[in-house]
Amino acid sequence: MANMQLSSSTALAVRDPWALVPSLGNLDAYISAVNRLPMLSAEDESRLARRLRDQQDLDAAGRLVLSHLRLVVSVARQYLGYGLPQGDLIQEGNVGLMKAVKRFDPDQGVRLVSYALHWIKAEIHEYILKNWRVVKVATTKAQRKLFFNLRSMKRQMKGEAADGATHRAGLTEAEIDRVAAELNVRREDVIEMETRFAGGDVALEPGGDDDDESFAPIAYLADDRQEPTRAIEARRRDELAGPGLLRALDALDARSRRIVEERWLKVNDDGSGGMTLHELAAEYGVSAERIRQIEVAAMKKMKKALVEAA
């Protein structure tokens, strides 16, 4: 595997502290290094993307790429089941990431992580399509010999069939033993290769865009539970529901906070909620409508605080 770094051919000039990915021959060291790279805030990402778009600033492009290398590693892990090298999957994903950075428009109102996901997966899918073939089972010299000789041996055995009877497509047990003996491979290898020949290649994606009923491996290759954007959304949701909510409550005056907590956050031992509008109105000596108005104003203020913290 080639060194996992941005070489000079990418023309991405990277300055400290972003030049944290040295020339590495070890994949684990590379993954550890990219996970230590700092992430960009929405403001920094937008600023850098505009510098790249308007001024062709290659340093800005380098920062955008490096801050998203961990996303490529996460996506590449979803495709390890194909037996292809993880380093190659990551390298192809990095190509997709650089294509996404080149085409990213910060004025579209989406984060680069969402936009780049399509390009990263597209490059990895293309790599799998080009490399996942029946020949991949032939990893040893004996298996390669089996791969290149099995069909000719089947035709020969079919020609030897007695009385000119039509030979069945599959191999008999005796024929499997004969092939294994002549080519010096295991019976299991003969059976597996024969199965692969009989099944042929499977298209990774549906054959036609107009076929609504089509279903292909692309629909179930990736584990959606580990999909990066969903993981980011889940962490952000947990943040807003915990510390974010507390910060929003701290932005309220004492009366508004108590009204919100009684109306929306309090749960009694019997499962019932907090105080009603009329109960709060009686306590504060105002009308129920006034309590409702205070509640509405408090909720708007909390929403604004949560948006600013996002």
Side-chain angles (χ1 to χ4, degrees):
M1 181 192 71
N3 287 342
M4 299 298 299
Q5 64 172 352
L6 296 179
S7 64
S8 58
S9 63
T10 64
L12 295 179
V14 183
R15 305 190 188 105
D16 290 334
W18 294 84
L20 299 181
V21 187
S23 178
L24 300 172
N26 183 281
L27 181 59
D28 291 335
Y30 168 79
I31 294 175
S32 176
V34 300
N35 284 332
R36 293 196 303 269
L37 289 168
M39 300 181 69
L40 295 173
S41 66
E43 293 78 14
D44 288 340
E45 181 182 288
S46 179
R47 175 176 54 81
L48 291 169
R50 287 188 172 88
R51 279 171 48 187
L52 173 60
R53 182 193 63 187
D54 300 334
Q55 305 171 27
Q56 302 299 307
D57 188 331
L58 296 180
D59 179 64
R63 291 169 180 255
L64 290 170
V65 169
L66 289 174
S67 65
H68 288 80
L69 289 178
R70 70 182 69 196
L71 172 65
V72 176
V73 173
S74 180
V75 174
R77 285 199 182 105
Q78 301 173 25
Y79 298 94
L80 293 180
Y82 279 88
L84 298 173
Q86 184 180 8
D88 290 349
L89 292 170
I90 292 173
Q91 195 157 262
E92 294 299 322
N94 285 344
V95 173
L97 172 61
M98 288 186 281
K99 289 182 178 180
V101 168
K102 181 179 180 181
R103 294 166 173 80
F104 181 60
D105 184 357
D107 295 332
Q108 292 298 316
V110 299
R111 293 296 300 270
L112 178 57
V113 64
S114 300
Y115 182 78
L117 197 60
H118 164 77
W119 290 94
I120 294 169
K121 287 186 174 182
E123 288 297 321
I124 293 177
H125 291 171
E126 183 67 16
Y127 172 70
I128 294 174
L129 282 169
K130 290 179 178 178
N131 290 274
W132 184 248
R133 292 291 186 266
V134 65
V135 72
K136 283 296 174 180
V137 77
T139 56
T140 68
K141 183 177 180 180
Q143 288 174 330
R144 288 194 292 271
K145 186 176 180 181
L146 171 62
F147 176 79
F148 288 111
N149 289 276
L150 180 57
R151 286 180 176 173
S152 61
M153 290 190 66
K154 284 180 64 177
R155 287 194 297 267
Q156 179 184 351
M157 288 184 290
K158 180 179 178 180
E160 295 173 357
D163 300 328
T166 301
H167 200 278
R168 66 176 185 168
L171 291 173
T172 65
E173 292 297 319
E175 290 168 342
I176 291 174
D177 291 334
R178 175 180 170 182
V179 172
E182 290 189 17
L183 299 179
N184 193 27
V185 296
R186 299 179 307 163
R187 294 184 78 258
E188 292 79 5
D189 291 337
V190 177
I191 295 172
E192 181 180 3
M193 188 69 74
E194 168 66 8
T195 302
R196 298 293 293 273
F197 275 133
D201 290 342
V202 177
L204 185 65
E205 296 179 319
D209 296 336
D210 298 330
D211 186 3
D212 294 335
E213 301 298 325
S214 61
F215 185 74
I218 195 65
Y220 55 79
L221 281 178
D223 184 356
D224 287 341
R225 294 171 299 178
Q226 303 301 323
E227 204 277 325
T229 54
R230 293 193 180 187
I232 293 172
E233 290 173 358
R235 287 198 298 269
R236 193 60 187 155
R237 184 171 59 250
D238 293 341
E239 165 69 17
L240 292 177
L245 180 60
L246 291 177
R247 288 194 295 269
L249 287 170
D250 289 340
L252 303 177
D253 60 78
R255 182 175 65 171
S256 298
R257 176 167 181 160
R258 182 162 185 269
I259 290 174
V260 170
E261 290 176 337
E262 288 288 343
R263 293 281 293 147
W264 295 98
L265 303 178
K266 186 174 182 180
V267 179
N268 297 321
D269 294 337
D270 59 0
S272 61
M275 301 173 67
T276 65
L277 289 174
H278 292 284
E279 290 171 340
L280 288 166
E283 177 178 328
Y284 286 106
V286 296
S287 66
E289 175 60 21
R290 178 55 185 157
I291 295 296
R292 189 193 68 78
Q293 292 173 355
I294 295 173
E295 177 187 344
V296 171
M299 296 295 280
K300 289 182 178 179
K301 190 171 183 179
M302 288 179 64
K303 181 178 179 181
K304 180 179 179 181
L306 289 172
V307 171
E308 291 175 351

